[in-house]
Amino acid sequence: MTEDSGLPHHDVLASDEERDRATERVREALAAGRLDMSELDDRLTRVVRARTRGELEVATRDLPSPGHRDALVVGRRPTSRMALGLFGGFARKGEWIVPPAFTAWSTFGGGLLDLSEARFTSQDTRVLAVSLWGGTKIVLPDDVDVEVKGIGIFGLFGRRGARRARPGAPRIVIRGLALWGAVVTETRTMKATPDQKTLPERSPDS
């Protein structure tokens, strides 16, 4: 019995927040290779249509509960939307929440944008990285899909962090400019179970 309603747990009506958490479990199961694309629509439909906690549990009962690195996309407010290093430096690292669009700007300064422990508010994230007579280092986890499309003019826009992950993983697109400066990308290997291994990395060109 539940203390608030007197009903058995499985008969209590599900909340929107509980449906959101169940949706995250389904998406992360797809990214980890536990589900394939043919199962995705059916699972999500059952989650959306679930009226009770019991129906939600049936829709996700064979999926693991998300941990820190399982629930990569979350419905939470972003920690910040911009980092600026002007004649100085900046650092965004640790367990922070990344918005759908983030700007990292360094002018006569430097900065660190570490996404390896971060979680995201969107399946697709755009990062604008600009370095003018400065430098920015971007650290990326190996369990997300990364594209790097920035350019260097008398500078370097590194692409070592570009990689492919499993279908359904969050996607990060890094654009920007390095003018008489550098934007360097690198990958950090996250702890993973055998069924969470990523596809081979793209060949780096810098």
Side-chain angles (χ1 to χ4, degrees), residues 15 49-50 55 66 90 113-114 117 165-166 168 179 184:
S15 67
R49 292 180 177 176
E55 291 173 347
F90 68 80
L113 181 63
D114 189 343
E117 294 293 332
R166 286 186 176 274
L179 176 63
V184 179

Side-chain angles (χ1 to χ4, degrees), residues 18-36:
E18 289 167 331
R19 291 189 188 87
D20 288 343
R21 288 199 297 266
T23 298
E24 289 177 13
R25 289 177 66 180
V26 172
R27 288 175 176 168
E28 293 307 318
L30 176 69
R34 293 186 173 92
L35 298 177
D36 56 39

Side-chain angles (χ1 to χ4, degrees), residues 6-68:
L7 294 172
H9 171 82
H10 60 270
D11 287 338
V12 175
L13 294 177
S15 67
D16 288 340
E17 182 179 354
E18 289 167 331
R19 291 189 188 87
D20 288 343
R21 288 199 297 266
T23 298
E24 289 177 13
R25 289 177 66 180
V26 172
R27 288 175 176 168
E28 293 307 318
L30 176 69
R34 293 186 173 92
L35 298 177
D36 56 39
M37 290 299 296
S38 64
E39 299 175 273
L40 180 63
D41 285 344
D42 177 63
R43 291 279 188 154
L44 291 178
T45 297
R46 289 162 61 188
V47 168
V48 170
R49 292 180 177 176
R51 286 184 48 78
T52 66
R53 289 176 175 174
E55 291 173 347
L56 277 182
E57 291 173 358
V58 169
T60 59
R61 62 186 173 189
D62 55 348
L63 304 179
S65 297
H68 172 64

Side-chain angles (χ1 to χ4, degrees), residues 164-181:
R164 294 178 60 195
R166 286 186 176 274
R171 178 171 173 263
I172 301 172
V173 178
I174 302 172
R175 302 176 184 271
L177 170 68
L179 176 63
W180 295 100

Side-chain angles (χ1 to χ4, degrees), residues 52-178:
T52 66
R53 289 176 175 174
E55 291 173 347
L56 277 182
E57 291 173 358
V58 169
T60 59
R61 62 186 173 189
D62 55 348
L63 304 179
S65 297
H68 172 64
R69 291 305 299 172
D70 292 321
L72 295 182
V73 180
V74 297
R76 292 166 57 186
R77 180 175 298 178
T79 304
S80 63
R81 298 182 182 276
M82 182 178 184
L84 176 64
L86 181 61
F87 294 98
F90 68 80
R92 293 290 185 277
K93 59 183 179 179
E95 299 180 14
W96 64 293
I97 309 299
V98 185
F102 187 87
T103 299
W105 191 293
S106 61
T107 301
F108 292 106
L112 170 64
L113 181 63
D114 189 343
L115 303 175
S116 62
E117 294 293 332
R119 287 190 280 183
F120 307 90
T121 55
S122 174
Q123 193 71 13
D124 292 288
T125 301
R126 292 174 289 112
V127 174
L128 174 64
V130 178
S131 180
L132 309 176
W133 293 275
T136 298
K137 180 179 181 181
I138 303 176
V139 181
L140 301 146
D142 65 355
D143 50 5
V144 300
D145 192 88
V146 180
E147 291 185 37
V148 181
K149 298 183 177 181
I151 61 173
I153 301 177
F154 300 107
L156 170 69
F157 208 109
R159 302 176 184 271
R160 291 186 183 276
R163 63 180 297 107
R164 294 178 60 195
R166 286 186 176 274
R171 178 171 173 263
I172 301 172
V173 178
I174 302 172
R175 302 176 184 271
L177 170 68

